[in-house]
Amino acid sequence: MVQNAAARLLTRTKRRERITPVLASLHWLPVHFRIQFKILLITFKATHGQAPSYISALLTPYIAPRLLRSADQKLLHIPRSV
């Protein structure tokens, strides 16, 4: 993995040493968590008016057909794939 190799290069750790403590000491997330974090961060910024307008335009709030307990949760509409 590229992230592991970069961490080993920066910290000069040997190939046989465990990489998890090295990544933790660098405060690096594993790649799949980093991707999820970035998506959530962009979504948060778009819903709070801190993202570019072309990203905010892609999000549509979910409007329930009737009154639900989840009405105050600010849910987003998930488009159906064709």
Side-chain angles (χ1 to χ4, degrees), residues 35-61:
I35 292 169
Q36 186 177 13
F37 172 77
K38 281 299 226 179
I39 291 171
L40 292 171
L41 182 65
I42 291 170
T43 305
F44 176 84
K45 286 184 174 184
T47 55
H48 289 82
Q50 299 172 353
S53 60
Y54 66 91
I55 294 177
S56 299
L58 296 173
L59 301 177
T60 55

Side-chain angles (χ1 to χ4, degrees), residues 5-50:
R8 287 184 197 282
L9 179 70
L10 287 173
T11 59
R12 296 184 177 144
T13 56
K14 296 184 173 122
R15 183 114 171 104
R16 296 179 186 196
E17 293 181 34
R18 296 196 53 202
I19 195 64
T20 306
V22 175
L23 293 173
S25 71
L26 292 172
H27 301 284
W28 286 4
L29 292 173
V31 174
H32 61 280
F33 288 126
R34 178 72 179 161
I35 292 169
Q36 186 177 13
F37 172 77
K38 281 299 226 179
I39 291 171
L40 292 171
L41 182 65
I42 291 170
T43 305
F44 176 84
K45 286 184 174 184
T47 55
H48 289 82
Q50 299 172 353

Side-chain angles (χ1 to χ4, degrees), residues 3 68 75:
Q3 187 180 28
L68 299 173
L75 301 174

